[in-house]
Amino acid sequence: MTLNQLLDAAPAEADTEALTDGAQRLTWHAYRDRVARTAAVLVDLGVAPGDRVGVHLPKSVDSFVAVHAVLRTGAAIVPLDPMAPPANTATVVDEARIDVAVSAATGDVLGRLGSETGLRAVLRLGPEDAPVAGLTTRSAADVEASPPVAAVPVSPDDLAYVMFTSGSTGRPKGIAHTHRSAMAYARAAAAAYDLSPADRLANIAPLHFDQSTFELYAAPLAGASVLVVRDPVLRFPASLAKLIEAERITVWYSVPFLADQLVRRGGIDDRDLSTLRWILYGGEAYAPSALAELMAAIPSASVSNVYGPAEVNQCTIFNLDEPPVGDEPIPIGGAWDAAELLVVDDAGDPAATGEPGQLLVATATMMRGYWDRPDLDGQAFVERGGRRWYRTGDLVQARADGALVFLGRADNQVKVRGHRIELEAVEQVLLAQPGVEACAAVVVRPDSGEDHLVAVVSPASAADGVLAGAAAALPRYAVPQRAVGLDHLARTGTGKVDRNAVARELAALPDQG
Protein backbone atom coordinates (compact mmCIF):
# COMPACT_ATOMS: atom_id res chain seq x y z
CA MET A 1 0.00 0.00 0.00
CA THR A 2 1.09 3.58 -0.64
CA LEU A 3 0.07 6.76 1.18
CA ASN A 4 -2.42 7.81 -1.50
CA GLN A 5 -4.41 4.62 -0.87
CA LEU A 6 -4.75 5.13 2.88
CA LEU A 7 -8.09 6.95 2.98
CA ASP A 8 -9.84 4.62 0.55
CA ALA A 9 -8.63 1.58 2.51
CA ALA A 10 -9.25 2.95 6.03
CA PRO A 11 -11.01 0.22 8.09
CA ALA A 12 -13.83 2.44 9.36
CA GLU A 13 -17.53 2.84 8.68
CA ALA A 14 -18.18 5.43 5.95
CA ASP A 15 -20.67 7.40 8.05
CA THR A 16 -18.47 7.68 11.18
CA GLU A 17 -16.43 10.76 11.90
CA ALA A 18 -12.93 10.78 10.44
CA LEU A 19 -11.68 14.32 10.85
CA THR A 20 -12.60 17.49 12.71
CA ASP A 21 -11.02 20.74 13.80
CA GLY A 22 -13.90 21.78 16.03
CA ALA A 23 -15.40 23.94 13.28
CA GLN A 24 -15.66 21.44 10.40
CA ARG A 25 -16.51 17.74 10.76
CA LEU A 26 -16.04 15.15 8.02
CA THR A 27 -17.19 11.55 7.95
CA TRP A 28 -14.92 9.09 6.19
CA HIS A 29 -17.15 9.32 3.12
CA ALA A 30 -17.03 13.13 3.12
CA TYR A 31 -13.27 13.12 3.80
CA ARG A 32 -12.59 10.87 0.81
CA ASP A 33 -14.90 12.91 -1.40
CA ARG A 34 -13.33 16.25 -0.43
CA VAL A 35 -9.83 14.87 -1.01
CA ALA A 36 -10.77 13.45 -4.43
CA ARG A 37 -12.36 16.74 -5.53
CA THR A 38 -9.39 18.78 -4.28
CA ALA A 39 -7.07 16.46 -6.19
CA ALA A 40 -9.13 17.11 -9.33
CA VAL A 41 -8.47 20.85 -9.01
CA LEU A 42 -4.75 20.24 -8.54
CA VAL A 43 -4.66 18.05 -11.64
CA ASP A 44 -6.48 20.81 -13.53
CA LEU A 45 -3.73 23.20 -12.38
CA GLY A 46 -1.18 20.91 -14.01
CA VAL A 47 0.06 18.89 -11.02
CA ALA A 48 1.58 15.62 -12.21
CA PRO A 49 3.25 12.61 -10.56
CA GLY A 50 6.69 13.51 -9.23
CA ASP A 51 5.92 17.22 -8.80
CA ARG A 52 6.35 18.94 -5.45
CA VAL A 53 3.29 20.83 -4.21
CA GLY A 54 3.48 23.31 -1.36
CA VAL A 55 0.89 23.01 1.42
CA HIS A 56 0.88 26.46 3.00
CA LEU A 57 -2.02 26.23 5.45
CA PRO A 58 -2.61 26.63 9.18
CA LYS A 59 -3.69 23.47 10.97
CA SER A 60 -7.28 22.63 10.08
CA VAL A 61 -9.47 20.13 8.30
CA ASP A 62 -8.37 21.86 5.09
CA SER A 63 -4.68 21.19 5.79
CA PHE A 64 -5.25 17.45 6.20
CA VAL A 65 -7.44 17.36 3.10
CA ALA A 66 -4.76 19.20 1.11
CA VAL A 67 -2.02 16.74 2.13
CA HIS A 68 -4.02 13.71 1.02
CA ALA A 69 -5.19 15.46 -2.13
CA VAL A 70 -1.60 16.13 -3.19
CA LEU A 71 -0.73 12.49 -2.54
CA ARG A 72 -3.74 11.41 -4.62
CA THR A 73 -2.27 13.17 -7.66
CA GLY A 74 0.99 11.24 -7.37
CA ALA A 75 2.87 14.39 -6.41
CA ALA A 76 4.91 14.95 -3.24
CA ILE A 77 3.99 17.28 -0.39
CA VAL A 78 6.22 20.08 0.81
CA PRO A 79 4.76 21.52 4.05
CA LEU A 80 5.32 25.29 4.28
CA ASP A 81 5.18 27.06 7.63
CA PRO A 82 2.31 29.59 7.34
CA MET A 83 3.90 31.69 10.11
CA ALA A 84 7.36 31.90 8.52
CA PRO A 85 8.61 35.18 7.06
CA PRO A 86 7.84 35.34 3.33
CA ALA A 87 11.55 35.34 2.52
CA ASN A 88 11.97 31.96 4.25
CA THR A 89 8.98 30.54 2.43
CA ALA A 90 10.32 31.79 -0.88
CA THR A 91 13.63 30.06 -0.22
CA VAL A 92 11.92 26.71 0.34
CA VAL A 93 9.66 27.18 -2.70
CA ASP A 94 12.75 27.75 -4.82
CA GLU A 95 14.75 24.94 -3.24
CA ALA A 96 11.97 22.39 -3.78
CA ARG A 97 11.09 23.78 -7.23
CA ILE A 98 7.42 24.20 -6.27
CA ASP A 99 5.19 25.66 -8.97
CA VAL A 100 1.77 24.91 -7.43
CA ALA A 101 0.67 25.50 -3.83
CA VAL A 102 -2.40 25.17 -1.65
CA SER A 103 -2.51 28.22 0.58
CA ALA A 104 -4.56 30.44 2.86
CA ALA A 105 -2.07 33.32 2.66
CA THR A 106 -3.02 36.86 1.77
CA GLY A 107 -2.89 38.09 -1.79
CA ASP A 108 0.17 40.19 -0.96
CA VAL A 109 2.14 37.17 0.26
CA LEU A 110 1.09 35.01 -2.68
CA GLY A 111 1.81 37.80 -5.13
CA ARG A 112 5.30 38.16 -3.71
CA LEU A 113 5.92 34.43 -3.99
CA GLY A 114 4.68 34.51 -7.56
CA SER A 115 7.06 37.32 -8.47
CA GLU A 116 10.11 36.04 -6.58
CA THR A 117 9.89 32.26 -7.16
CA GLY A 118 8.77 29.76 -9.77
CA LEU A 119 5.28 29.53 -8.25
CA ARG A 120 2.74 29.77 -11.07
CA ALA A 121 -0.58 28.54 -9.60
CA VAL A 122 -2.39 28.43 -6.26
CA LEU A 123 -5.48 26.82 -4.79
CA ARG A 124 -6.75 29.27 -2.16
CA LEU A 125 -8.51 27.66 0.80
CA GLY A 126 -8.56 30.60 3.18
CA PRO A 127 -10.84 33.55 3.91
CA GLU A 128 -9.63 35.21 0.71
CA ASP A 129 -10.27 33.48 -2.60
CA ALA A 130 -9.89 36.27 -5.16
CA PRO A 131 -7.52 35.68 -8.09
CA VAL A 132 -3.92 36.69 -7.44
CA ALA A 133 -2.23 38.72 -10.16
CA GLY A 134 0.38 36.68 -11.97
CA LEU A 135 -0.88 33.34 -10.61
CA THR A 136 -3.45 30.92 -11.97
CA THR A 137 -5.90 30.81 -9.07
CA ARG A 138 -8.55 28.35 -7.94
CA SER A 139 -10.79 28.42 -4.85
CA ALA A 140 -12.93 26.24 -2.61
CA ALA A 141 -15.84 26.81 -5.00
CA ASP A 142 -13.84 25.08 -7.73
CA VAL A 143 -13.28 22.13 -5.38
CA GLU A 144 -17.03 21.78 -4.80
CA ALA A 145 -17.73 21.96 -8.53
CA SER A 146 -15.10 19.39 -9.56
CA PRO A 147 -15.85 15.70 -10.03
CA PRO A 148 -13.74 13.41 -7.81
CA VAL A 149 -10.70 11.71 -9.34
CA ALA A 150 -9.14 8.36 -8.55
CA ALA A 151 -5.74 8.06 -6.91
CA VAL A 152 -2.84 8.05 -9.37
CA PRO A 153 -0.81 4.81 -9.02
CA VAL A 154 2.66 5.35 -7.57
CA SER A 155 5.60 3.15 -6.65
CA PRO A 156 6.53 2.61 -2.99
CA ASP A 157 9.90 4.14 -3.81
CA ASP A 158 8.40 7.33 -5.25
CA LEU A 159 8.81 10.55 -3.32
CA ALA A 160 5.95 11.21 -0.86
CA TYR A 161 7.00 14.32 1.06
CA VAL A 162 9.92 16.65 1.64
CA MET A 163 10.18 18.33 5.05
CA PHE A 164 12.58 21.25 5.24
CA THR A 165 14.69 22.33 8.19
CA SER A 166 17.14 25.20 8.36
CA GLY A 167 20.72 24.58 7.34
CA SER A 168 23.78 25.76 9.25
CA THR A 169 24.72 27.98 6.32
CA GLY A 170 21.20 29.34 5.93
CA ARG A 171 20.33 26.96 3.08
CA PRO A 172 17.36 24.78 4.09
CA LYS A 173 17.73 21.01 4.18
CA GLY A 174 14.94 18.93 2.67
CA ILE A 175 14.31 15.55 4.29
CA ALA A 176 12.93 13.40 1.48
CA HIS A 177 10.70 10.46 2.43
CA THR A 178 9.22 7.90 0.05
CA HIS A 179 5.88 6.16 0.27
CA ARG A 180 7.79 3.11 1.49
CA SER A 181 9.48 4.85 4.44
CA ALA A 182 6.33 6.75 5.41
CA MET A 183 4.18 3.62 5.27
CA ALA A 184 6.75 1.72 7.33
CA TYR A 185 6.40 4.38 10.01
CA ALA A 186 2.60 4.37 9.82
CA ARG A 187 2.47 0.59 10.23
CA ALA A 188 4.96 0.57 13.11
CA ALA A 189 3.21 3.40 14.95
CA ALA A 190 -0.27 1.93 14.51
CA ALA A 191 0.98 -1.39 15.88
CA ALA A 192 3.06 0.08 18.72
CA TYR A 193 0.19 2.12 20.11
CA ASP A 194 -2.61 -0.36 19.35
CA LEU A 195 -4.52 2.12 17.20
CA SER A 196 -8.03 1.13 16.12
CA PRO A 197 -11.22 2.72 14.75
CA ALA A 198 -12.21 3.37 18.38
CA ASP A 199 -9.33 5.84 18.82
CA ARG A 200 -9.47 9.62 18.50
CA LEU A 201 -6.06 11.24 18.04
CA ALA A 202 -5.25 14.85 18.84
CA ASN A 203 -3.12 16.47 16.14
CA ILE A 204 -0.99 19.06 17.96
CA ALA A 205 1.99 19.46 15.62
CA PRO A 206 1.90 21.62 12.47
CA LEU A 207 2.46 20.01 9.08
CA HIS A 208 6.07 21.17 8.84
CA PHE A 209 6.91 19.34 12.10
CA ASP A 210 7.48 15.61 11.66
CA GLN A 211 5.28 14.63 14.62
CA SER A 212 2.28 15.41 12.40
CA THR A 213 2.94 12.31 10.28
CA PHE A 214 1.53 10.22 13.15
CA GLU A 215 -1.97 11.62 12.72
CA LEU A 216 -1.69 12.09 8.97
CA TYR A 217 -0.78 8.49 8.13
CA ALA A 218 -0.97 6.11 11.11
CA ALA A 219 -4.51 7.25 11.97
CA PRO A 220 -6.17 6.40 8.62
CA LEU A 221 -4.19 3.17 8.39
CA ALA A 222 -5.92 2.08 11.61
CA GLY A 223 -9.24 3.79 10.84
CA ALA A 224 -8.78 6.15 13.81
CA SER A 225 -10.30 9.63 13.72
CA VAL A 226 -8.34 12.85 14.20
CA LEU A 227 -9.03 16.11 15.97
CA VAL A 228 -6.87 18.84 14.41
CA VAL A 229 -6.24 21.27 17.26
CA ARG A 230 -6.15 24.77 15.85
CA ASP A 231 -3.30 27.05 16.90
CA PRO A 232 -5.50 29.59 18.75
CA VAL A 233 -6.76 26.81 21.04
CA LEU A 234 -3.19 25.73 21.83
CA ARG A 235 -2.47 29.19 23.23
CA PHE A 236 -5.13 28.71 25.92
CA PRO A 237 -4.58 25.51 27.93
CA ALA A 238 -8.00 25.74 29.57
CA SER A 239 -9.67 25.76 26.15
CA LEU A 240 -7.48 22.86 25.09
CA ALA A 241 -8.47 20.81 28.14
CA LYS A 242 -12.13 21.53 27.45
CA LEU A 243 -11.73 20.41 23.84
CA ILE A 244 -9.97 17.17 24.78
CA GLU A 245 -12.77 16.35 27.19
CA ALA A 246 -15.51 17.21 24.72
CA GLU A 247 -13.93 15.28 21.85
CA ARG A 248 -13.03 12.30 24.06
CA ILE A 249 -9.44 12.12 22.81
CA THR A 250 -7.65 8.82 23.42
CA VAL A 251 -4.09 9.46 22.15
CA TRP A 252 -2.00 12.61 22.52
CA TYR A 253 1.43 13.29 20.93
CA SER A 254 3.27 16.56 21.46
CA VAL A 255 6.40 18.25 22.73
CA PRO A 256 6.63 18.33 26.55
CA PHE A 257 5.93 22.05 26.80
CA LEU A 258 2.33 21.71 25.62
CA ALA A 259 1.57 18.74 27.86
CA ASP A 260 3.08 20.60 30.81
CA GLN A 261 1.01 23.69 30.08
CA LEU A 262 -2.11 21.53 30.00
CA VAL A 263 -1.35 20.31 33.54
CA ARG A 264 -0.30 23.66 34.98
CA ARG A 265 -2.78 26.01 33.35
CA GLY A 266 -5.53 23.84 31.87
CA GLY A 267 -7.71 23.50 34.95
CA ILE A 268 -7.82 19.74 34.37
CA ASP A 269 -8.96 19.01 37.92
CA ASP A 270 -12.39 20.10 36.70
CA ARG A 271 -12.20 18.04 33.51
CA ASP A 272 -12.81 14.38 32.75
CA LEU A 273 -9.81 13.33 30.68
CA SER A 274 -10.18 9.64 31.48
CA THR A 275 -10.55 8.75 27.77
CA LEU A 276 -6.84 9.52 27.32
CA ARG A 277 -5.16 6.13 27.21
CA TRP A 278 -1.74 7.07 25.83
CA ILE A 279 0.35 10.23 26.04
CA LEU A 280 3.39 10.34 23.78
CA TYR A 281 5.96 13.08 24.04
CA GLY A 282 9.14 13.81 22.13
CA GLY A 283 11.30 16.49 20.59
CA GLU A 284 13.03 17.50 23.82
CA ALA A 285 13.49 16.44 27.43
CA TYR A 286 10.63 16.44 29.93
CA ALA A 287 11.57 17.56 33.45
CA PRO A 288 11.08 14.49 35.70
CA SER A 289 9.15 16.46 38.33
CA ALA A 290 6.81 17.89 35.71
CA LEU A 291 6.36 14.48 34.12
CA ALA A 292 5.43 13.04 37.50
CA GLU A 293 2.75 15.74 37.83
CA LEU A 294 1.37 14.84 34.41
CA MET A 295 1.14 11.15 35.27
CA ALA A 296 -0.54 11.91 38.60
CA ALA A 297 -3.00 14.29 36.97
CA ILE A 298 -4.03 11.88 34.17
CA PRO A 299 -3.64 8.39 35.67
CA SER A 300 -5.69 6.75 32.91
CA ALA A 301 -2.91 7.31 30.36
CA SER A 302 0.22 5.31 29.67
CA VAL A 303 3.12 7.69 29.05
CA SER A 304 5.99 7.15 26.62
CA ASN A 305 9.07 9.15 25.72
CA VAL A 306 9.63 8.68 21.98
CA TYR A 307 12.69 9.73 20.04
CA GLY A 308 13.66 9.94 16.41
CA PRO A 309 15.01 12.60 14.05
CA ALA A 310 12.74 13.49 11.13
CA GLU A 311 15.21 11.65 8.90
CA VAL A 312 14.14 8.30 10.40
CA ASN A 313 10.82 9.13 12.06
CA GLN A 314 10.59 7.37 15.42
CA CYS A 315 13.32 4.87 16.34
CA THR A 316 13.25 4.50 20.15
CA ILE A 317 10.66 4.37 22.92
CA PHE A 318 10.72 4.44 26.70
CA ASN A 319 7.51 3.48 28.46
CA LEU A 320 7.11 4.81 31.98
CA ASP A 321 5.51 2.25 34.28
CA GLU A 322 5.25 4.74 37.13
CA PRO A 323 5.94 8.45 37.74
CA PRO A 324 9.66 9.28 37.87
CA VAL A 325 11.30 9.94 41.22
CA GLY A 326 14.31 12.21 41.56
CA ASP A 327 15.95 14.34 38.90
CA GLU A 328 17.64 11.76 36.70
CA PRO A 329 16.90 12.41 33.00
CA ILE A 330 14.20 10.24 31.43
CA PRO A 331 15.85 7.81 28.97
CA ILE A 332 14.85 7.68 25.34
CA GLY A 333 14.78 3.92 25.85
CA GLY A 334 15.59 1.29 23.27
CA ALA A 335 14.77 0.49 19.69
CA TRP A 336 11.15 -0.01 18.82
CA ASP A 337 10.24 -2.92 16.54
CA ALA A 338 10.95 -1.02 13.30
CA ALA A 339 14.55 -0.03 14.04
CA GLU A 340 18.04 -1.25 14.89
CA LEU A 341 20.42 0.95 16.87
CA LEU A 342 24.18 1.19 17.19
CA VAL A 343 26.17 3.50 19.48
CA VAL A 344 29.68 4.19 18.22
CA ASP A 345 32.68 6.08 19.56
CA ASP A 346 34.79 8.60 17.65
CA ALA A 347 36.64 5.78 15.91
CA GLY A 348 33.39 4.20 14.74
CA ASP A 349 33.67 1.23 17.08
CA PRO A 350 30.78 0.15 19.32
CA ALA A 351 30.77 2.24 22.49
CA ALA A 352 30.95 0.45 25.83
CA THR A 353 28.02 0.60 28.25
CA GLY A 354 28.16 3.88 30.11
CA GLU A 355 30.38 5.55 27.53
CA PRO A 356 28.99 8.34 25.31
CA GLY A 357 28.77 7.75 21.60
CA GLN A 358 26.94 8.79 18.49
CA LEU A 359 23.70 7.00 17.71
CA LEU A 360 23.34 5.25 14.34
CA VAL A 361 19.98 3.97 13.11
CA ALA A 362 19.06 1.37 10.49
CA THR A 363 15.36 1.22 9.73
CA ALA A 364 12.75 0.90 7.00
CA THR A 365 11.33 4.24 8.18
CA MET A 366 14.48 6.09 7.09
CA MET A 367 14.41 8.87 4.51
CA ARG A 368 15.64 8.33 0.97
CA GLY A 369 18.08 11.18 1.49
CA TYR A 370 18.29 14.95 1.55
CA TRP A 371 16.60 16.78 -1.29
CA ASP A 372 19.20 17.60 -3.96
CA ARG A 373 22.04 17.43 -1.39
CA PRO A 374 24.41 14.56 -2.20
CA ASP A 375 27.00 16.36 -0.07
CA LEU A 376 24.80 15.95 3.00
CA ASP A 377 23.92 12.36 2.07
CA GLY A 378 27.61 11.52 2.09
CA GLN A 379 27.89 12.78 5.65
CA ALA A 380 24.61 11.33 6.89
CA PHE A 381 24.83 7.70 5.78
CA VAL A 382 27.33 4.96 6.45
CA GLU A 383 27.44 1.34 5.27
CA ARG A 384 28.05 -1.23 7.98
CA GLY A 385 27.52 -4.96 7.72
CA GLY A 386 25.83 -4.61 4.35
CA ARG A 387 23.22 -2.20 5.74
CA ARG A 388 22.68 1.52 5.39
CA TRP A 389 22.80 3.41 8.68
CA TYR A 390 21.88 7.00 9.42
CA ARG A 391 24.24 9.04 11.58
CA THR A 392 21.89 10.96 13.86
CA GLY A 393 24.53 13.38 15.15
CA ASP A 394 23.04 12.78 18.60
CA LEU A 395 25.16 11.67 21.52
CA VAL A 396 23.72 8.99 23.79
CA GLN A 397 24.86 6.78 26.63
CA ALA A 398 23.66 3.26 27.38
CA ARG A 399 22.65 2.53 30.96
CA ALA A 400 23.35 -0.82 32.59
CA ASP A 401 19.79 -1.93 31.75
CA GLY A 402 20.34 -1.08 28.08
CA ALA A 403 18.15 2.03 27.99
CA LEU A 404 19.71 4.96 26.15
CA VAL A 405 20.05 8.42 27.69
CA PHE A 406 20.17 11.39 25.33
CA LEU A 407 23.21 13.60 26.00
CA GLY A 408 22.90 16.24 23.28
CA ARG A 409 23.92 17.08 19.76
CA ALA A 410 27.32 16.25 18.41
CA ASP A 411 27.23 19.57 16.58
CA ASN A 412 25.62 22.88 17.43
CA GLN A 413 22.09 22.02 16.44
CA VAL A 414 19.70 22.39 19.35
CA LYS A 415 16.05 21.75 20.08
CA VAL A 416 13.75 24.29 21.70
CA ARG A 417 10.11 23.24 22.21
CA GLY A 418 10.72 20.39 19.81
CA HIS A 419 11.96 22.59 16.96
CA ARG A 420 15.39 21.91 15.57
CA ILE A 421 17.45 25.10 15.46
CA GLU A 422 21.00 25.45 14.22
CA LEU A 423 22.73 28.16 16.20
CA GLU A 424 25.04 29.24 13.38
CA ALA A 425 22.03 30.02 11.18
CA VAL A 426 20.58 32.26 13.91
CA GLU A 427 23.95 33.94 14.44
CA GLN A 428 24.31 34.77 10.77
CA VAL A 429 21.03 36.67 10.95
CA LEU A 430 22.09 38.44 14.15
CA LEU A 431 25.38 39.49 12.60
CA ALA A 432 23.47 41.05 9.71
CA GLN A 433 21.67 43.47 12.05
CA PRO A 434 22.86 47.10 12.28
CA GLY A 435 25.69 47.69 14.75
CA VAL A 436 26.30 44.03 15.63
CA GLU A 437 29.99 43.17 15.60
CA ALA A 438 29.90 39.78 17.29
CA CYS A 439 27.21 37.53 18.63
CA ALA A 440 26.30 34.18 20.12
CA ALA A 441 22.97 32.39 20.19
CA VAL A 442 22.61 30.67 23.55
CA VAL A 443 19.98 28.24 24.80
CA VAL A 444 19.02 28.93 28.41
CA ARG A 445 17.56 26.01 30.34
CA PRO A 446 16.31 27.40 33.67
CA ASP A 447 15.44 25.21 36.64
CA SER A 448 11.89 26.52 36.39
CA GLY A 449 10.22 27.82 33.26
CA GLU A 450 10.76 26.89 29.64
CA ASP A 451 13.92 26.58 27.56
CA HIS A 452 14.50 29.62 25.40
CA LEU A 453 17.00 31.17 23.03
CA VAL A 454 18.94 34.31 23.96
CA ALA A 455 20.83 36.57 21.55
CA VAL A 456 24.05 37.86 23.10
CA VAL A 457 25.52 40.65 20.98
CA SER A 458 28.46 43.01 21.06
CA PRO A 459 28.80 45.96 21.47
CA ALA A 460 26.14 46.34 24.15
CA SER A 461 24.49 49.20 22.30
CA ALA A 462 23.60 46.87 19.41
CA ALA A 463 21.09 44.90 21.49
CA ASP A 464 18.32 47.44 20.92
CA GLY A 465 16.29 46.47 17.89
CA VAL A 466 18.19 43.28 17.10
CA LEU A 467 15.17 41.06 17.80
CA ALA A 468 12.95 42.96 15.40
CA GLY A 469 15.46 42.36 12.66
CA ALA A 470 15.78 38.70 13.55
CA ALA A 471 12.00 38.27 13.50
CA ALA A 472 11.89 39.47 9.91
CA ALA A 473 14.38 36.86 8.75
CA LEU A 474 13.91 33.79 10.93
CA PRO A 475 11.08 31.33 11.54
CA ARG A 476 9.11 32.28 14.64
CA TYR A 477 10.47 29.42 16.72
CA ALA A 478 14.08 30.39 15.92
CA VAL A 479 13.78 34.05 17.01
CA PRO A 480 15.56 34.61 20.34
CA GLN A 481 13.22 35.42 23.20
CA ARG A 482 15.46 38.24 24.42
CA ALA A 483 18.68 40.06 23.61
CA VAL A 484 21.55 40.84 25.96
CA GLY A 485 24.29 43.29 25.10
CA LEU A 486 27.91 42.86 26.22
CA ASP A 487 30.87 45.02 25.34
CA HIS A 488 33.05 42.00 24.66
CA LEU A 489 32.36 38.34 23.93
CA ALA A 490 34.69 35.57 25.08
CA ARG A 491 36.70 33.94 22.32
CA THR A 492 38.58 30.69 21.83
CA GLY A 493 42.28 30.48 21.20
CA THR A 494 41.63 30.51 17.48
CA GLY A 495 39.73 33.79 17.71
CA LYS A 496 36.22 32.38 17.40
CA VAL A 497 33.40 33.41 19.72
CA ASP A 498 33.32 30.86 22.54
CA ARG A 499 29.61 30.09 22.83
CA ASN A 500 30.02 27.98 25.95
CA ALA A 501 31.95 30.71 27.75
CA VAL A 502 29.35 33.28 26.68
CA ALA A 503 26.62 31.04 28.07
CA ARG A 504 28.43 30.86 31.42
CA GLU A 505 28.87 34.63 31.47
CA LEU A 506 25.21 35.12 30.64
CA ALA A 507 24.16 32.81 33.48
CA ALA A 508 26.29 34.81 35.93
CA LEU A 509 24.56 38.09 35.11
CA PRO A 510 21.86 39.26 37.54
CA ASP A 511 18.33 38.17 36.49
CA GLN A 512 19.58 36.44 33.35
CA GLY A 513 18.89 32.78 34.22
Side-chain angles (χ1 to χ4, degrees):
M1 183 184 295
T2 51
L3 294 183
N4 60 354
Q5 299 170 319
L6 279 173
L7 293 189
D8 290 342
E13 297 295 329
D15 59 351
T16 58
E17 186 173 290
L19 183 66
T20 182
D21 57 15
Q24 298 185 69
R25 293 183 184 273
L26 298 181
T27 64
W28 284 100
H29 173 75
Y31 192 7
R32 293 163 180 147
D33 183 69
R34 177 91 65 89
V35 165
R37 293 177 187 274
T38 304
V41 173
L42 294 175
V43 171
D44 182 61
L45 288 173
V47 173
D51 289 348
R52 277 79 49 210
V53 176
V55 178
H56 189 224
L57 296 168
K59 287 192 301 158
S60 63
V61 161
D62 288 342
S63 65
F64 269 57
V65 166
V67 164
H68 286 282
V70 172
L71 291 169
R72 199 171 184 85
T73 69
I77 312 139
V78 181
L80 301 171
D81 182 0
M83 300 301 293
N88 289 60
T89 303
T91 299
V92 174
V93 169
D94 269 343
E95 191 76 19
R97 300 192 293 279
I98 294 169
D99 64 0
V100 177
V102 186
S103 180
T106 65
D108 288 344
V109 169
L110 292 173
R112 176 176 174 179
L113 288 174
S115 63
E116 296 180 0
T117 72
L119 189 70
R120 60 172 180 78
V122 63
L123 169 56
R124 303 192 73 182
L125 294 181
E128 299 180 28
D129 61 3
V132 179
L135 295 176
T136 302
T137 310
R138 299 288 186 271
S139 69
D142 296 297
V143 172
E144 292 298 321
S146 297
V149 295
V152 174
V154 295
S155 163
D157 293 318
D158 285 344
L159 188 66
Y161 68 85
V162 185
M163 197 166 289
F164 279 85
T165 64
S166 64
S168 60
T169 62
R171 180 182 177 185
K173 295 186 296 185
I175 298 166
H177 275 277
T178 63
H179 287 263
R180 186 185 301 278
S181 62
M183 281 300 305
Y185 168 69
R187 291 190 183 97
Y193 307 117
D194 300 320
L195 299 186
S196 77
D199 278 310
R200 290 177 63 77
L201 280 56
N203 165 243
I204 308 296
L207 296 183
H208 61 280
F209 191 11
D210 61 296
Q211 284 183 356
S212 65
T213 58
F214 179 58
E215 297 87 26
L216 280 166
Y217 309 131
L221 180 66
S225 61
V226 173
L227 164 69
V228 183
V229 182
R230 289 176 172 267
D231 290 333
V233 175
L234 289 178
R235 291 195 285 268
F236 298 96
S239 298
L240 178 56
K242 180 180 179 180
L243 187 64
I244 293 169
E245 178 187 44
E247 297 290 344
R248 301 187 64 78
I249 296 304
T250 63
V251 183
W252 163 292
Y253 185 17
S254 80
V255 294
F257 173 76
L258 291 172
D260 189 51
Q261 289 295 293
L262 187 70
V263 172
R264 297 182 185 281
R265 299 173 51 213
I268 62 176
D269 289 343
D270 299 323
R271 298 290 175 193
D272 178 7
L273 304 185
S274 61
T275 58
L276 272 171
R277 67 174 186 86
W278 214 315
I279 296 175
L280 312 173
Y281 75 88
E284 61 185 356
Y286 210 138
S289 60
L291 187 55
E293 290 183 42
L294 170 72
M295 296 181 71
I298 311 177
S300 62
S302 299
V303 175
S304 298
N305 180 13
V306 301
Y307 158 88
E311 286 86 348
V312 296
N313 292 293
Q314 184 179 341
C315 59
T316 77
I317 185 170
F318 184 78
N319 300 318
L320 288 98
D321 297 323
E322 56 187 21
V325 177
D327 57 3
E328 289 295 317
I330 309 301
I332 59 173
W336 74 337
D337 286 346
E340 291 185 38
L341 309 178
L342 185 63
V343 182
V344 299
D345 59 22
D346 290 343
D349 298 321
T353 298
E355 293 297 319
Q358 183 178 169
L359 180 63
L360 308 185
V361 182
T363 175
T365 68
M366 185 164 58
M367 68 174 180
R368 182 173 73 188
Y370 291 106
W371 173 255
D372 274 357
R373 295 296 300 271
D375 57 323
L376 295 180
D377 288 348
Q379 300 168 24
F381 298 111
V382 60
E383 295 288 334
R384 296 178 67 106
R387 297 198 63 185
R388 191 187 195 211
W389 297 76
Y390 171 69
R391 305 176 191 264
T392 65
D394 288 337
L395 298 177
V396 298
Q397 182 181 50
R399 301 192 315 189
D401 63 1
L404 299 178
V405 176
F406 179 81
L407 302 178
R409 290 290 300 170
D411 55 20
N412 288 321
Q413 186 183 77
V414 299
K415 282 191 176 182
V416 176
R417 288 202 197 173
H419 291 285
R420 298 167 62 170
I421 301 171
E422 291 188 282
L423 298 180
E424 292 89 346
V426 176
E427 289 165 354
Q428 287 193 35
V429 171
L430 296 176
L431 283 172
Q433 305 311 307
V436 175
E437 297 176 0
C439 69
V442 176
V443 177
V444 174
R445 306 188 187 280
D447 294 333
S448 60
E450 60 184 278
D451 296 354
H452 58 276
L453 199 62
V454 177
V456 184
V457 300
S458 176
S461 58
D464 293 336
V466 72
L467 296 184
L474 290 168
R476 179 177 54 177
Y477 60 80
V479 177
Q481 181 173 307
R482 54 196 173 96
V484 174
L486 299 176
D487 286 332
H488 302 284
L489 299 188
R491 295 182 179 272
T492 65
T494 59
K496 296 180 180 180
V497 172
D498 187 336
R499 189 184 294 111
N500 292 331
V502 171
R504 292 192 293 270
E505 187 174 358
L506 176 66
L509 294 175
D511 301 321
Q512 296 293 330

